[in-house]
Amino acid sequence: MYIGFAIFFSILIFINLVGNTLVILAVALNKPMRSPINYLLINLATADIIVAVFIGIPFVVTPTITHPEGKMGDVLCKLFTGGNLGWVGALASVFTLVAVAIERYGAVLYPHSQKGKLTKTKIIVLVVTCWTLSALFSIPGFNAVTYIPEIKSCAHSWSKPIYAHFYTVGWSVVAGVIPIGILGALYSRMVYHLWIKRDNVREDTQKALKRHRKRVTKMVVFVTVIYVLCWVPELLIYFLGFTGTITLVGIHHAIASALIVFNSSINPIVYSLQSSQFRKHLGDLICCKRNKISPMNSTATASTAKRQDLEMVEESTRITRQPTRTLSQ
């Protein structure tokens, strides 16, 4: 069974590292991609990489080595081989999805409001908040993880069973109930506003803006749906264990971890399928293409850029009804 899980996790980790690294590079190396929503997707990709690496280590690396015991073994479990950092990344990924939903909500329902406009300072605050909350909530898990010689593995060792129950319920609420509730409420209003509600938009620029909002919102909705499909079974497994409905064993932990790593690995594929701009830039990176501007084609490039500006409106500018002036996202 170990070999099967090791191969499966190795494949997921490889896909994760390649895909999420390409997402980060696609945004960082292409100026038109540097928008608030894409900066948040960089944070999501970073969290997903941490998830794959540190949750994958216990299944790929740890069984192949002689793990130290004693204090050294405990330290290694807490920092590397116990998967703690991976679960910090998992929480950061969930919180980032909530931040993305809030950004989309403001961009779609209140496009002209300056209060909802995401600046670089606000993005930094959001990112720092995501990671800080994730780290703080993970402190009990860090303290409880230790190396247990009897099973030759890292595991939680709680001084009282009630602490384990509190931790399980806390995870279900913080990583499941609250985020899913917020995401469901925000995206249901956005879907109604973009696809169901009738409007009287007639200007070409405004129509292009709405089409673009639909594409971006559709992409992040798909990412959110995959998160729900992967996290609900994981949280359900541990909740059933908490209630005593099932007895948790190693296979349950392996399945739950595989679902979370799969979730973190599939996001770049969703970006490629749902966003033509991500698909184009990811393809350019894979083919090692770089855009070069020469004097002879500068006029054509400027014309192309203007068309892209109309098609790829940057939501953070909250356009002020100037038909020929928008920014790229």
Side-chain angles (χ1 to χ4, degrees), residues 234-305:
E234 189 269 347
L235 295 172
L236 185 61
I237 287 173
Y238 285 106
F239 189 78
L240 290 176
F242 159 72
T243 59
T245 305
I246 62 174
T247 301
L248 295 179
V249 294
I251 187 65
H252 294 129
H253 178 62
I255 292 173
S257 300
L259 285 170
I260 303 306
V261 176
F262 174 79
N263 180 206
S264 67
S265 303
I266 202 69
N267 286 339
I269 298 175
V270 176
Y271 304 153
S272 299
L273 293 177
Q274 296 297 322
S275 171
S276 60
Q277 292 302 316
F278 261 109
R279 188 162 57 247
K280 175 185 180 300
H281 292 300
L282 291 176
D284 289 346
L285 283 171
I286 293 172
C287 299
C288 299
K289 293 180 180 180
R290 294 296 299 273
N291 294 326
K292 296 180 180 180
I293 301 177
S294 64
M296 294 184 64
N297 64 8
S298 59
T299 302
T301 302
S303 176
T304 300

Side-chain angles (χ1 to χ4, degrees), residues 7-23 45 48-49 52 261-270:
I7 293 174
F8 181 68
F9 273 96
S10 297
I11 293 172
L12 287 182
I13 292 171
F14 176 77
I15 295 173
N16 182 299
L17 293 177
V18 173
N20 284 299
T21 299
L22 288 175
V23 168
D48 286 342
I49 289 174
V261 176
F262 174 79
N263 180 206
S264 67
S265 303
I266 202 69
N267 286 339
I269 298 175
V270 176

Side-chain angles (χ1 to χ4, degrees), residues 95-147:
F95 294 157
T96 302
L97 285 177
V98 175
V100 169
I102 293 172
E103 190 277 341
R104 285 290 86 204
Y105 185 82
V108 171
L109 271 72
Y110 305 102
H112 305 295
S113 172
Q114 292 299 313
K115 292 182 179 180
K117 179 181 177 182
L118 273 187
T119 62
K120 288 186 177 181
T121 300
K122 290 181 180 179
I123 291 173
I124 293 173
V125 171
L126 278 174
V127 170
V128 171
T129 301
C130 283
W131 287 99
T132 301
L133 291 176
S134 301
L136 289 175
F137 186 80
S138 300
I139 288 176
F142 269 90
N143 290 332
V145 167
T146 184
Y147 183 76

